[in-house]
Amino acid sequence: MSDVLKIFRELEMTWDRDNIYHQVLTYIAQASELLGLPAGMELILAQPKNEITVHFPVLMDNGDYQLFRGYRVQHNNVLGPFKGGIRYHQDADLDHVKALAVLMTMKTALYWLPYGGAKGAVKVNPRSLSQNELMRLTRRFTAALGQNIGPFYDVPAPDVGTNAQIMAWITDTYTNLHDPARRLDGMGVCTGKPLLLGGSQGREKATGQGLIYVLEQMLPEMGFDIGKVSYSLIGYGNVGSWTGKLMAERGAKLTAVLDHTGAIYSDKGIDALELDKYVAQKGGVGGFPNAEAITEDQFYSAKVDVLIPAALEQMINDRNVKLLNCKIVAEAANAPTTPQAERYMVEQGIQILPAILCNSGGVTVSYFEWNQNRQAETWDLEYVDAQLKKMVLAACARTKETARRLKCDLRVASYCAALERIAKVYLIRGIFP
Ligand code: GLU
C-alpha cells in the first residue's frame, strides 16, 4: 500500500479504494515491489501512454442526432502493437477503461503474445439501439478514432456489449477510409471478426475454452476433478455460456447462474445448452423454466466447489463476499474481485485462479486470427485449439514457477510473471532517446 501511495503522490492523483483503476495499480505496485523493479518502471506503467476521448454524433432512427462519448486507452506497447477489446456499456468511464487497458498489458505479457495493452469503450447501452443505429455508431466511432487504430498499431476486438458483427463494421469502415492497395493488411485492423470476413475458427468460444484449459490444468493440484465439480456462473453472455457448454461436455455440474435479469438455481444441475437457447430468445437467465428463481444473495451463498465470475468487474465485493460458500473462484471476467473482497477470501482459505491467467484465451486466439490475416491463411479448429492449449499450459507453468520462486499467491505471481517480461524488454530496449 505504501508504495502505491508514493506513486499516487508523484502523479498527483488522489487514492480512492473503490476506483478500479486504483485497485489495479495496487496490484502492479505490489508485484513491482516484490520483483524489486526500479521506481521509474512503476511510474511508466502507472499511466497509459495515450488516453483518447472522442465525441461524435450519430443519426438515430427517429431522425434526431445523439452525441456519444468514446474512449481508446493505449496503455503500453513495449512488447508490440496495442491490443484489446472495445466495449459498449452505459457505465463506461475513463478510469474504468484505463484499468482494463492495464490488464490487457498484463495478459499479453503473461501469455508471451507480441502485443501491448489497450481498451476502448463507448458509453452506450447497446440493447437500447436498433441494428442500424448500432452500425452507424460503430462506423462513426471507427472514423473518429482515425489513425489511432490500425493492423500494426492498435488492434481492437470484441468485449462486453460488442461482437463479431461490430468487428465487421469496424473492418469495413477502416478499409474504406484507408489505402485501397492495402485492403488485405486492413483485415487485421481488428480481431474477433465473423469467419467469412477473416475471423478465426474457435475465436468466439476462445475465452471460455482458455478457462477450461486452465481448470483442467490447475484443479487437480487443488484437489478437484473438473468432471466432478459443482460450479456457479456470474454472467451468461459469450464467456459464461461457452464456459457452461464446455464444462457440460466434461461432466461438471452447473447449479446456479446470476445475470442482469435475475438468478436461477437447481441442485440437480442446469442444462447449459437449454439455457443457451433460452438466453438467446429472452436476453437473460431470469425466468428460465427448468430451475428455481433465487435472489442475488442466495446466489452468492449457494454451496459450490467453483464460482466463476464471467461478467463485469468488481462483482465479488465487500457487500457479498461474506456470503460465499465456495472453495475456488476462477476469474473468467476482468478484475471481478475487489482487493478488499480478496483479502477476506484469502483469510477464509478460498483459492483464487487469477483473471489474467484465466481469461486470456480470447486475446490469444485473437493473436492467431491476426497471424492468419497477415499470412492470408485459415487454420482449422483442431489446430487453433491445440495451439491455444499449448499457450495456456505455458502460462500456467510460468505462473506456478513464479509463485514458487517468489513465495507468493497465484494472483501476485501472475502479475510478477507479466511484469518481469516487460521489465526485461525495457532493459534491453532502453528508454528512447
Ligand atoms: N476483450 C477481450 C479481453 O478482454 C479480448 C481482447 C482481444 O482479443 O484483443 O481479453
Side-chain angles (χ1 to χ4, degrees):
M1 178 58 92
S2 57
D3 232 61
V4 78
L5 289 181
K6 216 167 63 202
I7 294 177
F8 271 66
R9 270 198 302 278
E10 195 116 7
L11 298 174
E12 295 175 353
M13 285 162 54
T14 313
W15 168 256
D16 168 3
R17 78 194 272 280
D18 297 321
N19 179 310
I20 186 169
Y21 177 52
H22 298 186
Q23 293 174 355
V24 169
L25 290 190
T26 314
Y27 286 121
I28 302 274
Q30 197 184 350
S32 306
E33 200 175 331
L34 193 57
L35 287 168
L37 296 188
M41 188 80 71
E42 276 177 66
L43 274 178
I44 292 173
L45 294 171
Q47 288 287 54
K49 207 159 175 181
N50 307 308
E51 298 171 15
I52 300 151
T53 303
V54 292
H55 294 99
F56 56 94
V58 175
L59 177 64
M60 308 307 281
D61 290 346
N62 66 4
D64 289 345
Y65 285 92
Q66 201 172 314
L67 196 71
F68 289 90
R69 176 180 300 152
Y71 304 100
R72 185 71 180 169
V73 173
Q74 298 166 331
H75 174 250
N76 191 279
N77 62 350
V78 76
L79 301 179
F82 298 110
K83 184 84 189 85
I86 288 180
R87 75 169 48 179
Y88 289 172
H89 196 275
Q90 57 278 14
D91 298 331
D93 68 37
L94 186 58
D95 268 0
H96 216 101
V97 185
K98 281 162 76 168
L100 294 167
V102 179
L103 291 175
M104 285 311 303
T105 302
M106 295 297 119
K107 291 199 248 187
T108 55
L110 176 63
Y111 270 68
W112 284 37
L113 304 177
Y115 292 134
K119 199 76 161 203
V122 176
K123 191 174 170 56
V124 61
N125 176 1
R127 293 190 185 92
S128 70
L129 301 186
S130 70
Q131 275 296 95
N132 269 327
E133 288 170 338
L134 213 49
M135 179 185 73
R136 287 196 293 270
L137 175 135
T138 301
R139 290 191 184 283
R140 196 54 209 253
F141 180 46
T142 308
L145 289 175
Q147 305 290 347
N148 291 303
I149 58 169
F152 305 107
Y153 180 61
D154 181 358
V155 185
D159 197 80
V160 173
T162 55
N163 56 23
Q165 175 61 73
I166 287 171
M167 297 306 115
W169 290 325
I170 293 178
T171 307
D172 186 64
T173 308
Y174 180 87
T175 47
N176 275 300
L177 289 176
H178 290 80
D179 186 356
R182 302 193 70 99
R183 249 177 118 77
L184 191 59
D185 279 347
M187 295 298 281
V189 67
C190 63
T191 56
K193 300 182 291 292
L195 266 180
L196 285 170
L197 190 73
S200 176
Q201 294 284 356
R203 176 61 186 83
E204 200 198 288
K205 66 166 183 162
T207 309
Q209 185 68 72
L211 172 71
I212 300 294
Y213 291 145
V214 171
L215 292 175
E216 282 177 342
Q217 178 68 12
M218 306 295 280
L219 286 184
E221 295 170 22
M222 299 166 125
F224 291 89
D225 172 348
I226 191 166
K228 299 207 177 88
V229 291
S230 62
Y231 73 103
S232 57
L233 269 171
I234 304 179
Y236 213 74
N238 171 289
V239 182
S241 64
W242 275 108
T243 300
K245 287 179 279 190
L246 296 168
M247 287 290 267
E249 281 174 13
R250 280 148 184 89
K253 186 165 89 171
L254 174 59
T255 49
V257 186
L258 166 76
D259 78 358
H260 62 284
T261 61
I264 55 172
Y265 177 84
S266 165
D267 59 3
K268 291 197 293 293
I270 296 165
D271 186 318
L273 270 176
E274 263 181 34
L275 184 61
D276 198 43
K277 284 189 203 125
Y278 181 84
V279 171
Q281 265 178 19
K282 308 275 179 181
V285 303
F288 181 60
N290 299 330
E292 186 190 325
I294 54 171
T295 64
E296 198 174 315
D297 281 1
Q298 284 171 322
F299 170 85
Y300 282 103
S301 325
K303 185 172 188 308
V304 284
D305 297 319
V306 187
L307 166 61
I308 304 180
L312 291 169
E313 299 73 34
Q314 300 181 311
M315 292 296 289
I316 302 174
N317 51 43
D318 284 349
R319 205 197 58 72
N320 55 37
V321 67
K322 296 209 165 113
L323 301 173
L324 294 191
N325 193 358
C326 63
K327 304 281 191 316
I328 297 171
V329 169
E331 298 181 331
N334 291 307
T337 310
T338 65
Q340 297 87 329
E342 178 167 355
R343 271 195 289 283
Y344 181 81
M345 286 155 71
V346 171
E347 275 164 31
Q348 298 300 307
I350 298 175
Q351 303 189 70
I352 299 173
L353 288 169
I356 65 169
L357 177 65
C358 286
N359 72 22
S360 295
V363 68
T364 302
V365 178
S366 276
Y367 164 55
F368 299 158
E369 178 175 332
W370 184 76
N371 263 331
Q372 290 167 73
N373 293 158
R374 289 187 66 187
Q375 294 153 20
E377 273 185 8
T378 49
W379 301 357
D380 60 36
L381 182 59
E382 289 67 33
Y383 186 69
V384 169
D385 280 349
Q387 296 305 306
L388 173 61
K389 186 167 183 177
K390 228 191 265 177
M391 302 285 268
V392 170
L393 295 192
C396 288
R398 225 167 268 141
T399 307
K400 283 189 284 186
E401 184 278 321
T402 310
R404 268 195 302 274
R405 179 163 43 91
L406 300 175
K407 298 187 180 44
C408 58
D409 62 29
L410 292 175
R411 161 100 61 219
V412 178
S414 64
Y415 277 96
C416 285
L419 283 171
E420 259 180 337
R421 180 165 178 241
I422 294 171
K424 281 183 188 154
V425 174
Y426 264 114
L427 212 68
I428 299 169
R429 277 176 175 264
I431 302 284
F432 176 82

